[in-house]
Amino acid sequence: MTMTVFLQAATQQAPAAAPVTRIGEPNVVAMIFFFAFIAITLAITYWAARRTRTTEEFYAAGRTITPAQNGMALAGDYMSAASFLGIAGLVSTTGFDGLIYSTGWLVGWPVVLFLIAEPLRNLGKYTFADVVAARLRQTPVRIAAAVGTLSTVIFYLIAQMVGAGGLIRLMFGLQYETAIAIVGAAMLAYVLFGGMIATTWVQIVKAGLLLGGAALLAIMVLAKFGMNPLALFAAAADRYGAAVLAPGKLVAAPLDAISLGMALMFGTAGLPHILMRFYTVPDARAARTSVFYATGLIGFFYLMTFVLGFGAMVLVGPDAIRAVDKGGNMAAPLLAEVLGGTPFLGFIAAVAFATILAVVAGLTLSGAAALSHDLWVNVVRHGEADSREQLRVARAATVALGVIAVLLGILFKGQNVAYMVSLAFAIAASGNFPALVLSIFWKRCTTEGVVSSMVIGTGATLLLIWLSPTIQVDILKHASAWFPLKNPALVTIPLSFAVGVLVSLAKRDQPASDGFAATERRMHVGTTGD
Amino acid sequence: LAGIAEEVRMRAASFLNGLTFVVAAATAACNNPFSSDDDGTRIRLRNASTFELTAVTFAPGTSRVEFERIRPAEVTPYSDVASAYSYGYLDVRVNGERRQLQPIDYVGERPIGSGRFTYVITIDAATRKPQRAARARRLSAPDDRDAFRIAAVDLTGRSSSATGSGWAARVCSFASDPQPAPDPRSRFVMSDHRFRLLADARWRIAISLTAVMVAIYFGFILLIAYNKPLMGRLLTRGLSVGVLLGALVIVSSWVLTWVYVRWANTHYDEGLDEVRRAGGGR
């Protein structure tokens, strides 16, 4: 969706920059801000590296992150460049239709709070597989969960990397491969040396910059309209017709919209890099509070996209925005340039870059945790690995993932990877989320049930995406697609739940249901009795 | 035989003096195998703590009893009450500080029936907990209530940086006449029951709030899909129904998370504290 638009555009050839903007030219201010960000975050990494000696510190920041900090970091993990640039661009070119996305990206958070955050914190250690495997057989559950995690992470990573390359080329005039390599190297430095502590602080700095930058921009826009958003919307309607305040063509197929909505709503609660953040706080209560903060910050941010989008529409103009980038993704930077000149453009560009860097770091860390904690330590070594070995494997996994991300980023250069984000959300929603819910709340669920739910949920999602119009028509240029929906979540989420329930009911798993009482108690009370 | 009697007495003694005093032979009280007379329910309070309790109000259900002062180890006279449960609401001053113990509810509980019962009030000394947990707790405190709970730990004269949920008064009942040998399992039974209520409440709330969120968001999407003219209607200059509803979806996400956090920070956390003190952390 938003990401779709953003990535599509970012991977297309940049059209010749319109004379009104300096976007795409090397921007001194952008470079200064950008290197300042890198310097600050590397300093944080250096500081964090000395506090990252144990696995608990590497994966979970020693569980010392406060709820407010974690709320910021969650927001940082979630507000990608796609939200910032994509939604603003979409609103500026289509009006109301863009706002549909502003709302869609938030509604998954209450679900995370109500169903997942606290049980996850009490039942797990580093990954969501800990929770699913709590009273089930370790090996099959962890393998299946690692497959779900890695699928989500890899597809999300590719989309971010390809998007980053395109975006940086558009903004700084850097070469695509150079940009990808910079992102990969900086991210590796954060994760490898600073672990979760550095990653968390990078997220916090980034979230602060993004919220601050967006708020500053929004205030500068509103200042031109007597601080009244309605005056801004009215100006947009006066200039481009009342249709900009009404739904347009975007939700032409209701089933598509509902399917996408389901992927967003339940996918958020299955994103490994988001779930992992709940282990960084001391207890379930802190996990709860941190989602509360995150929901507030993210909602505030998406409300600001209303102003940024319509501001760009009125002050820059849809045609000028499309002239720079067909997808409209440069709306926010262009708006910054109009309002604050080249320095402000540089600042916003640097913020967008920092945003990608931080999200990539969080993704890599959660992928590394699945590889080392779930697969290596618990499947290969049956939990018999000491802390030093775990750390070594985790760091090796980080390097491997970082290299894979850079290679895939270069490999997919110029490809439309839009489907990969919807894929990541759909896998999270149909592979990870049902397994989590079933294992947490349902006594009768069995190892076989949960594993088949994860495997079939992930597999069906991959298959249906392959058969969807996005791949068959848009990419392979076939006349029609086997499967009518662009996002399979409408089918795959119920399917995954149904498979989990039916397989569980087919054969009783006595140890699993016997373990439920103790697991349930731990889910509420916690392990420490605190 | 003498050996058995001795063991029973020792078990009773160690149980009463043990670390978790959460005495409550609740099963005994609930099933009430000891009630022999039909005089109705008669209750009294015993102060098993080392603190003097003043301005005591105790309500094990709809009835309430009040005492101006209960000294350490003192047992009050019996009072007649219409009915009583095995635990109750307590409002008391300890060292001049007012404390309340608010049960969640009596859903699923049965009155203890007729007979004579003694509720024992115990107060746990504040336990030290890892500094880290304390810090997070304080930072996460959304209102004065929690900050107060931590700040007011110091019932034992330790420094006020002693942490944890310091207030740990427990009011529990056991049939007093004849006094049974407490069954060590009973406190788990009681804690299990309280836990069940709490876990079910948490589940109900989580599901209802999720359903509300789903209804709101998909209602919004369906309106866009099937009633575009309505969404495009202008309410005032610059504000269409669609834009307003879109903003309201975001606001309703905030409200729903606030509702949950509010419930969890009060009812759920207090219930969890009770379960933990009653041995729920096993």
Side-chain angles (χ1 to χ4, degrees):
Chain A
M1 29 189 301
T2 318
M3 187 71 114
T4 307
V5 177
F6 151 55
L7 289 167
Q8 250 162 0
T11 51
Q12 283 155 1
Q13 286 302 314
V20 289
T21 175
R22 296 176 61 85
I23 281 186
E25 299 166 28
N27 181 327
V28 178
V29 181
M31 290 293 177
I32 291 172
F33 276 120
F34 171 60
F35 284 113
F37 176 79
I38 296 274
I40 290 170
T41 47
L42 286 181
I44 289 172
T45 305
Y46 176 75
W47 164 81
R50 292 182 298 155
R51 283 160 184 75
T52 305
R53 296 215 172 82
T54 66
T55 41
E56 186 160 77
E57 284 157 351
F58 185 80
Y59 292 127
R63 317 211 192 274
T64 53
I65 304 295
T66 67
Q69 289 164 352
N70 196 43
M72 276 290 267
L74 281 168
D77 247 333
Y78 196 70
M79 297 182 300
S80 56
S83 324
F84 181 45
L85 302 176
I87 294 182
L90 208 52
V91 175
S92 71
T93 52
T94 66
F96 177 81
D97 280 355
L99 297 186
I100 300 173
Y101 298 127
S102 300
T103 60
W105 287 74
L106 182 67
V107 292
W109 282 95
V111 177
V112 172
L113 173 66
F114 305 149
L115 297 180
I116 303 294
E118 293 164 78
L120 192 83
R121 177 62 189 83
N122 277 335
L123 289 177
K125 213 170 156 198
Y126 304 131
T127 63
F128 86 86
D130 293 340
V131 178
V132 183
R135 68 193 157 94
L136 304 176
R137 292 203 305 283
Q138 295 283 326
T139 307
V141 169
R142 290 206 184 258
I143 293 175
V147 169
T149 302
L150 289 173
S151 315
T152 316
V153 165
I154 294 271
F155 289 118
Y156 216 133
L157 264 181
I158 295 176
Q160 291 290 331
M161 286 307 241
V162 175
L167 174 75
I168 290 165
R169 193 190 50 205
L170 263 180
M171 285 189 161
F172 299 81
L174 273 178
Q175 244 200 317
Y176 180 88
E177 285 80 6
T178 318
I180 299 256
I182 292 178
V183 171
M187 171 272 281
L188 267 185
Y190 302 151
V191 179
L192 207 52
F193 301 112
M196 184 51 107
I197 303 177
T199 305
T200 302
W201 281 100
V202 170
Q203 300 290 10
I204 293 173
V205 170
K206 162 261 172 97
L209 281 176
L210 186 57
L211 285 167
L216 190 59
L217 205 49
I219 290 170
M220 286 166 83
V221 169
L222 286 178
K224 293 205 179 280
F225 296 91
M227 297 316 272
N228 180 2
L230 295 189
L232 167 65
F233 300 158
D238 287 348
R239 196 165 310 173
Y240 299 102
V244 299
L245 299 178
K249 280 176 282 191
L250 212 60
V251 187
L255 285 184
D256 253 339
I258 291 170
S259 194
L260 198 56
M262 284 179 72
L264 284 180
M265 196 163 205
F266 302 114
T268 308
L271 289 177
H273 64 299
I274 297 289
L275 297 180
M276 198 177 176
R277 295 227 57 86
F278 294 118
Y279 297 125
T280 64
V281 292
D283 54 23
R285 184 190 163 91
R288 173 200 309 154
T289 315
S290 62
V291 190
F292 182 65
Y293 287 129
T295 311
L297 291 171
I298 297 168
F300 173 65
F301 177 75
Y302 287 134
L303 278 180
M304 284 194 301
T305 58
F306 285 38
V307 173
L308 297 186
F310 281 109
M313 177 187 275
V314 174
L315 298 174
V316 183
D319 294 334
I321 293 169
R322 282 203 203 91
V324 175
D325 175 275
K326 273 189 200 159
N329 294 305
M330 292 299 117
L334 281 169
L335 181 64
E337 192 177 22
V338 166
L339 290 170
T342 315
F344 200 38
L345 166 68
F347 173 68
I348 294 294
V351 167
F353 186 81
T355 292
I356 292 177
L357 207 48
V359 172
V360 168
L363 282 167
T364 306
L365 186 56
S366 65
L371 278 173
S372 54
H373 176 66
D374 289 337
L375 286 186
W376 179 261
V377 176
N378 281 296
V379 174
V380 179
R381 304 281 278 157
H382 301 289
E384 305 274 319
D386 63 22
S387 182
R388 184 175 296 183
E389 178 184 338
Q390 293 189 29
L391 265 183
R392 215 170 43 232
V393 175
R395 291 201 159 113
T398 307
V399 173
L401 274 172
V403 171
I404 289 173
V406 170
L407 289 181
L408 288 176
I410 293 173
L411 189 70
F412 278 78
K413 178 187 179 182
Q415 294 287 313
N416 179 343
V417 290
Y419 60 95
M420 290 200 174
V421 171
S422 57
L423 192 54
F425 265 89
I427 293 174
S430 1
N432 307 344
F433 176 72
L436 262 176
V437 170
L438 288 177
S439 65
I440 290 175
F441 294 109
W442 192 38
K443 184 177 178 180
R444 276 290 316 265
C445 97
T446 66
T447 306
E448 288 80 6
V450 162
V451 168
S452 45
S453 160
M454 284 194 279
V455 169
I456 291 180
T458 308
T461 308
L462 289 168
L463 180 69
L464 290 183
I465 290 259
W466 176 254
L467 298 176
S468 75
T470 316
I471 300 264
Q472 295 293 321
V473 178
D474 296 354
I475 294 181
L476 299 177
K477 308 292 179 201
H478 292 166
S480 65
W482 285 64
F483 183 68
L485 298 177
K486 285 181 184 153
N487 192 303
L490 182 62
V491 174
T492 51
I493 295 176
L495 175 74
S496 178
F497 270 112
V499 166
V501 170
L502 290 178
V503 174
S504 293
L505 288 177
K507 188 161 156 279
R508 205 168 248 293
D509 185 349
Q510 205 54 47
S513 56
D514 287 348
F516 184 74
T519 312
E520 192 191 25
R521 187 168 280 266
R522 189 147 65 86
M523 159 185 142
H524 290 278
V525 179
T527 41
T528 58
D530 180 12
Chain B
L1 257 175
I4 293 169
E6 179 62 23
E7 195 194 324
V8 166
R9 215 168 51 231
M10 276 177 63
R11 265 172 67 183
S14 73
F15 187 68
L16 286 171
N17 300 327
L19 285 173
T20 337
F21 318 75
V22 185
V23 202
T27 34
C30 292
N31 301 336
N32 193 22
F34 305 105
S35 75
S36 45
D37 50 351
D38 290 314
D39 289 353
T41 311
R42 311 194 70 196
I43 63 167
R44 63 181 182 175
L45 297 177
R46 183 160 75 81
N47 180 0
S49 78
T50 52
F51 301 99
E52 183 171 275
L53 310 175
T54 51
V56 183
T57 304
F58 178 66
T62 47
S63 323
R64 65 170 56 211
V65 291
E66 292 178 5
F67 299 97
E68 205 167 291
R69 179 182 309 273
I70 313 176
R71 295 192 174 75
E74 185 183 334
V75 183
T76 67
Y78 282 108
S79 314
D80 287 310
V81 290
S83 77
Y85 293 92
S86 59
Y87 52 93
Y89 165 80
L90 176 72
D91 184 338
V92 69
R93 281 179 177 275
V94 186
N95 287 353
E97 285 194 72
R98 187 169 171 210
R99 290 285 181 245
Q100 281 161 306
L101 192 66
Q102 176 68 62
I104 298 169
D105 53 37
Y106 296 105
V107 178
E109 293 282 356
R110 282 191 299 161
I112 52 181
S114 35
R116 292 159 170 248
F117 299 92
T118 305
Y119 291 85
V120 180
I121 300 175
T122 61
I123 296 176
D124 283 343
T127 48
R128 286 181 186 277
K129 303 218 171 158
Q131 198 64 38
R132 200 198 296 152
R135 195 169 63 223
R137 220 159 226 266
R138 195 173 316 137
L139 284 168
S140 71
D143 53 34
D144 286 340
R145 172 193 283 269
D146 281 322
F148 181 64
R149 191 159 69 188
I150 294 155
V153 167
D154 200 0
L155 295 175
T156 55
R158 292 189 194 175
S159 85
S160 60
S161 66
T163 55
S165 49
W167 174 249
R170 294 290 306 168
V171 182
C172 293
S173 67
F174 56 85
S176 62
D177 194 16
Q179 182 139 337
D183 177 356
R185 281 171 308 174
S186 62
R187 65 191 177 112
F188 292 128
V189 172
M190 175 168 173
S191 118
D192 276 350
H193 183 66
R194 314 280 294 127
F195 174 75
R196 188 73 263 139
L197 292 177
L198 196 64
D200 290 348
R202 164 77 170 79
W203 171 241
R204 269 198 310 277
I205 289 206
I207 284 297
S208 340
L209 288 175
T210 304
V212 172
M213 192 68 246
V214 167
I216 289 175
Y217 179 60
F218 289 106
F220 177 67
I221 293 289
L222 289 174
L223 270 181
I224 292 173
Y226 293 109
N227 201 343
K228 288 193 172 64
L230 170 73
M231 297 303 261
R233 186 181 301 157
L234 286 180
L235 291 170
T236 164
R237 226 177 88 76
L239 184 66
S240 66
V241 176
V243 172
L244 178 68
L245 289 182
L248 285 181
V249 170
I250 292 182
V251 171
S252 64
S253 302
W254 284 339
V255 172
L256 290 179
T257 49
W258 181 81
V259 166
Y260 174 75
V261 169
R262 181 95 198 137
W263 174 81
N265 281 351
T266 51
H267 294 76
Y268 184 54
D269 277 355
E270 275 171 25
L272 284 181
D273 282 345
E274 280 187 42
V275 169
R276 282 185 194 117
R277 282 195 298 265
R282 65 195 158 133

